[in-house]
Amino acid sequence: MMEYRDLRVALLGAGSVGSQVAALLLEHREELAGRIGAGIDLIGVAVRDLDAPRDAEIPAELLTTDAESLILGADIVVEMIGGLEPARELIRLALTSGADVITANKALLATHGPELFELAGQVGAQLYYEAAVGGAIPIIRPLRDSLAGDRVVRILGIVNGTTNYILDRMDREGDSLESALAIAQQLGYAEADPTADVEGHDAAQKAAILASLAFHTAVPLEAVHREGITAVTHAQVVAAREAGFVVKLLAVCERLADPETGEEGVAARVHPALVPATHPLASVRGANNAVFLQAEAAGDLMFYGAGAGGVQTASAVLGDLVSAARRHVIGGPGVAESTHADLPVLPMSAVTTRYQVTLQVADRPGVLAAIATLFSEHGVSVEAVQQSVPTVTVDDGREVALPTATLVIGTHAATEAALAATVDALAASDSVAEVSSVLRVEGVAS
Ligand code: NDP
Ligand code: HSE
């Protein structure tokens, strides 16, 4: 077999992930060369501060602040800087100069992905991004390659480790959101600005990437409905557990019929949801991630593992590096992203799901009937109602019932538009003192 020259790899960034990529690359150089059929030569590591402490040892002579010159001498560029700029311009420079690019930058891909994929296609290079969703979990390649012959119908994903860690601690340790977030930050799971995690931006970026791949349709970030976990209360988490559910921040990507035309479209959304305690996603604990996927022929599949962490994420980056290097050895252009289906991306109002609505209502005859009528008038079918009358202990030790009752109403599947109209009507009703919680229920057959 013909000997192939060593491939020159430029690494941009040596933070949590980049430093581990450098360490693994240097440590396993020989073994990787055997798998690739060519040597890998790490020609340099671009950083901002040459003297900053590193999580893993990187030879000082490899460090540089001149990212552009490094890129121009490379066959493969690994972007581990994060954020939109200068990552976007540096990736554009790398692709234009003919290098393949590996990135874990979900914010950049969700915002400028189409532009970068188009550029890669024009120059015959390839953009790899396995680490951008689910950290160490292989999910991009299974969607792009292994499931390319199937039709993915639905994805339910826990794709943000920080929020899963927080919700898990609220449930198991009784922590507040704030104290659980502080620990998640110390453990290095959270983004530099943790609002990206708790407000659902990070999960929405990942949902846009997953939906685009799964449905062969460009799903822009702005089309992803997003709600974070800041409104989730400890009381909701406890009530969910007592009712046989857990609260999870889910990314839901699905095919659905446009309610107006009946034609097939797709939608992507991120929000807290009730998941039955028996569903495989309910057992995803701590900062782990999981993607539960339903495909027409394959049926149900679940991908599970570490969703964040430097060395774990570096595993996915090195997998991409081996793929990119093998492509150099074999030759031929990169494989373009497929958006051939170009399905309409539908708004949140078109989504159909189940709901659990918790109300404080006047405890008097006829109220239940009045509330049931409001649901049915808006086309939302009630599946189950649970009523409880809270009591207080007064000074002489007696238990006295409060004048309001708590109603927990579970619905059959209804559109978001119908549910929103029902909630408005409930809030305006004399019988309802307060709509205290509305949560979507996922992972239950409709
Ligand atoms: P860090 O913030 O830890 O590291 C960023 C690195 O980029 C630092 O080494 C920094 O240099 C360098 N850098 C910043 N700006 C420049 C610049 N202008 N030129 C050259 N170098 C620069 O980020 P992470 O390692 O956590 O994340 C990297 C990417 O991986 C991001 O896209 C992130 O979203 C993604 N990701 C991260 C995961 C994680 O668990 N951390 C999981 C999955 C994906 P210096 O050190 O000198 O300041
Ligand atoms: N902040 C992200 C998370 C890092 O918590 O999942 C991994 O993308």
Side-chain angles (χ1 to χ4, degrees):
M1 191 176 137
M2 198 178 80
E3 282 244 336
Y4 201 86
R5 67 173 171 81
D6 282 4
L7 291 162
R8 295 171 308 237
V9 175
L11 176 60
L12 313 181
S16 304
V17 184
S19 62
Q20 301 294 346
V21 170
L24 290 177
L25 192 51
L26 294 170
E27 189 184 339
H28 301 302
R29 202 168 178 269
E30 296 303 319
E31 200 174 344
L32 292 174
R35 291 178 198 172
I36 293 163
I40 290 280
D41 183 13
L42 180 60
I43 58 169
V45 181
V47 292
R48 265 180 313 206
D49 177 358
L50 294 174
D51 300 319
R54 305 281 157 209
D55 293 350
E57 201 179 318
I58 300 174
E61 64 274 17
L62 287 181
L63 295 175
T64 174
T65 54
D66 185 357
E68 282 87 356
S69 301
L70 191 60
I71 288 169
L72 294 175
D75 300 301
I76 299 169
V77 173
V78 183
E79 182 274 309
M80 295 293 134
I81 291 176
L84 300 186
E85 295 293 355
R88 172 168 162 264
E89 274 313 318
L90 293 174
I91 288 178
R92 287 188 63 86
L93 176 66
L95 292 171
T96 312
S97 73
D100 281 343
V101 172
I102 295 154
T103 182
N105 193 334
K106 59 263 174 173
L108 180 63
L109 291 175
T111 314
H112 296 298
E115 163 205 322
L116 296 173
F117 290 122
E118 192 186 337
L119 178 58
Q122 280 167 8
V123 299
Q126 185 141 1
L127 186 52
Y128 298 81
Y129 55 101
E130 183 61 70
V133 182
I137 306 171
I139 182 63
I140 299 300
R141 205 166 274 107
L143 273 174
R144 189 164 58 187
D145 298 334
S146 321
L147 289 160
D150 206 336
R151 266 173 64 86
V152 175
V153 179
R154 198 153 194 263
I155 293 173
L156 291 181
I158 295 172
V159 292
N160 182 268
T162 302
T163 47
N164 201 59
Y165 181 82
I166 293 170
L167 292 172
D168 197 26
R169 289 218 41 129
M170 285 169 77
D171 186 9
R172 296 210 289 177
E173 313 290 336
D175 282 8
S176 68
L177 188 147
E178 292 73 21
S179 66
L181 172 60
I183 305 170
Q185 286 178 287
Q186 280 163 21
L187 292 170
Y189 303 143
E191 297 295 306
D193 174 4
T195 47
D197 298 294
V198 296
E199 297 290 1
H201 295 283
D202 177 80
Q205 290 157 4
K206 292 164 177 169
I209 294 170
L210 289 177
S212 300
L213 257 181
F215 306 130
H216 305 273
T217 291
V219 176
L221 182 57
E222 311 79 70
V224 180
H225 173 87
R226 176 187 54 80
E227 293 167 40
I229 63 162
T230 48
V232 175
T233 62
H234 189 248
Q236 281 177 322
V237 172
V238 172
R241 179 168 9 97
E242 287 168 357
F245 293 97
V246 286
V247 181
K248 295 287 184 193
L249 183 73
L250 290 189
V252 185
C253 311
E254 59 196 343
R255 291 181 194 267
L256 71 175
D258 184 331
E260 281 170 19
T261 64
E263 281 174 24
E264 184 179 56
V266 297
R269 54 192 160 107
V270 166
H271 53 72
L274 293 174
V275 175
T278 49
H279 192 280
L281 287 175
S283 57
V284 178
R285 290 272 155 85
N288 284 315
N289 281 192
V291 178
F292 184 82
L293 183 154
Q294 296 169 299
E296 273 183 10
D300 294 352
L301 303 170
M302 181 145 128
F303 302 81
Y304 167 83
V311 72
Q312 294 88 341
T313 306
S315 159
V317 174
L318 281 209
D320 278 350
L321 183 59
V322 170
S323 296
R326 282 179 179 153
R327 199 181 75 71
H328 269 271
V329 174
I330 295 163
V335 180
E337 289 296 294
S338 147
T339 53
H340 73 93
D342 200 18
L343 292 166
V345 181
L346 300 176
M348 189 61 179
S349 55
V351 162
T352 297
T353 189
R354 289 167 176 255
Y355 305 86
Q356 189 193 77
V357 182
T358 305
L359 306 171
Q360 305 306 320
V361 300
D363 190 14
R364 59 169 193 255
V367 164
L368 198 53
I371 287 170
T373 303
L374 285 178
F375 274 85
S376 80
E377 276 174 1
H378 292 91
V380 180
S381 166
V382 171
E383 188 196 27
V385 181
Q386 263 193 329
Q387 179 171 352
S388 57
V389 180
T391 56
V392 286
T393 308
V394 290
D395 289 347
D396 62 7
R398 281 177 306 126
E399 290 272 299
V400 177
L402 290 174
T404 57
T406 303
L407 280 188
V408 180
I409 300 172
T411 76
H412 287 288
T415 64
E416 282 281 326
L419 196 276
T422 309
V423 171
D424 286 348
L426 288 166
S429 162
D430 290 346
S431 303
V432 176
E434 186 190 12
V435 180
S436 28
S437 154
V438 179
L439 282 169
R440 299 175 185 91
V441 181
E442 302 293 340
V444 182
S446 297

